[in-house]
Amino acid sequence: KMGKSTIFASPRLLVGLNAFESGQVHALHAHPGMDKVYHVLEGEGVFLLEGRELPMRAGDLLVAPDGVPHGVHNTSAARLIVLAVLAPGAPAK
Protein backbone atom coordinates (compact mmCIF):
# COMPACT_ATOMS: atom_id res chain seq x y z
CA LYS A 1 0.00 0.00 0.00
CA MET A 2 1.33 3.43 -0.90
CA GLY A 3 2.09 5.90 1.86
CA LYS A 4 -0.10 9.01 1.98
CA SER A 5 0.19 12.07 4.16
CA THR A 6 -2.10 15.11 4.01
CA ILE A 7 -0.21 18.39 4.31
CA PHE A 8 -3.15 20.77 3.96
CA ALA A 9 -6.90 20.34 3.46
CA SER A 10 -9.69 22.86 2.95
CA PRO A 11 -12.87 22.97 0.86
CA ARG A 12 -10.81 24.72 -1.85
CA LEU A 13 -7.55 22.73 -1.86
CA LEU A 14 -6.04 19.40 -0.79
CA VAL A 15 -2.26 18.96 -0.71
CA GLY A 16 -0.60 15.66 0.12
CA LEU A 17 2.54 13.58 -0.25
CA ASN A 18 2.35 10.13 -1.80
CA ALA A 19 5.20 7.62 -1.45
CA PHE A 20 5.45 4.58 -3.72
CA GLU A 21 7.91 1.78 -3.06
CA SER A 22 9.56 -0.01 -5.97
CA GLY A 23 6.96 -1.73 -8.15
CA GLN A 24 3.94 -0.18 -6.44
CA VAL A 25 0.99 0.92 -8.58
CA HIS A 26 -1.81 3.36 -7.82
CA ALA A 27 -4.46 1.97 -10.17
CA LEU A 28 -6.39 4.12 -12.63
CA HIS A 29 -9.00 6.22 -10.86
CA ALA A 30 -10.72 9.58 -11.37
CA HIS A 31 -11.89 12.45 -9.20
CA PRO A 32 -15.23 13.77 -10.45
CA GLY A 33 -15.38 17.54 -9.95
CA MET A 34 -11.68 17.82 -9.03
CA ASP A 35 -8.50 18.62 -10.95
CA LYS A 36 -5.29 16.95 -9.75
CA VAL A 37 -1.67 18.04 -10.16
CA TYR A 38 1.22 15.65 -9.53
CA HIS A 39 4.72 17.03 -8.97
CA VAL A 40 7.51 14.46 -8.70
CA LEU A 41 9.86 15.35 -5.86
CA GLU A 42 12.07 12.25 -5.86
CA GLY A 43 12.49 9.10 -7.93
CA GLU A 44 11.02 8.07 -11.25
CA GLY A 45 8.23 5.98 -12.70
CA VAL A 46 5.28 6.18 -15.07
CA PHE A 47 2.11 8.28 -14.99
CA LEU A 48 -0.97 6.55 -16.33
CA LEU A 49 -3.22 9.10 -18.01
CA GLU A 50 -6.10 8.44 -20.39
CA GLY A 51 -4.69 5.14 -21.64
CA ARG A 52 -1.15 6.51 -22.03
CA GLU A 53 2.00 5.76 -20.03
CA LEU A 54 4.11 8.88 -19.52
CA PRO A 55 7.64 8.55 -18.07
CA MET A 56 8.25 10.79 -15.06
CA ARG A 57 11.17 11.78 -12.86
CA ALA A 58 12.03 14.35 -10.21
CA GLY A 59 10.95 17.82 -11.34
CA ASP A 60 8.19 16.63 -13.70
CA LEU A 61 4.60 17.85 -13.39
CA LEU A 62 1.40 16.27 -14.66
CA VAL A 63 -2.18 17.53 -14.61
CA ALA A 64 -5.14 15.14 -14.50
CA PRO A 65 -8.24 17.23 -15.28
CA ASP A 66 -11.66 16.70 -13.72
CA GLY A 67 -12.87 13.14 -14.30
CA VAL A 68 -9.87 11.95 -16.36
CA PRO A 69 -8.62 8.48 -15.29
CA HIS A 70 -5.06 8.60 -13.94
CA GLY A 71 -2.64 6.55 -11.87
CA VAL A 72 1.03 6.06 -10.98
CA HIS A 73 3.46 3.15 -11.32
CA ASN A 74 6.88 3.18 -9.67
CA THR A 75 8.97 1.32 -12.24
CA SER A 76 12.32 2.04 -10.54
CA ALA A 77 14.21 0.31 -7.74
CA ALA A 78 14.02 3.43 -5.53
CA ARG A 79 11.14 5.12 -3.70
CA LEU A 80 9.01 7.58 -5.68
CA ILE A 81 7.78 10.67 -3.81
CA VAL A 82 5.00 12.73 -5.40
CA LEU A 83 3.33 15.94 -4.23
CA ALA A 84 -0.38 15.73 -5.09
CA VAL A 85 -2.58 18.84 -5.24
CA LEU A 86 -6.35 18.55 -5.75
CA ALA A 87 -8.78 21.40 -6.30
CA PRO A 88 -11.33 21.93 -5.07
CA GLY A 89 -10.39 20.15 -1.87
CA ALA A 90 -12.32 17.57 0.08
CA PRO A 91 -15.86 18.49 1.14
CA ALA A 92 -16.25 19.43 4.80
CA LYS A 93 -17.43 16.58 7.01
Side-chain angles (χ1 to χ4, degrees):
K1 183 175 177 183
M2 76 172 181
K4 290 177 94 172
S5 178
T6 299
I7 297 171
F8 176 81
S10 79
R12 296 169 308 282
L13 188 68
L14 176 67
V15 180
L17 279 177
N18 297 344
F20 302 88
E21 297 301 328
S22 179
Q24 279 189 315
V25 176
H26 191 196
L28 283 175
H29 63 286
H31 303 277
M34 299 173 100
D35 295 317
K36 186 171 189 177
V37 175
Y38 287 111
H39 180 70
V40 182
L41 300 177
E42 180 180 308
E44 58 186 63
V46 174
F47 281 119
L48 312 170
L49 183 68
E50 293 186 294
R52 296 178 294 159
E53 292 189 1
L54 305 167
M56 61 181 182
R57 63 178 185 214
D60 288 347
L61 184 106
L62 177 90
V63 176
D66 172 10
V68 173
H70 58 278
V72 176
H73 181 192
N74 181 352
T75 56
S76 74
R79 181 177 290 149
L80 170 64
I81 307 291
V82 179
L83 181 72
V85 180
L86 292 92
K93 293 182 181 181

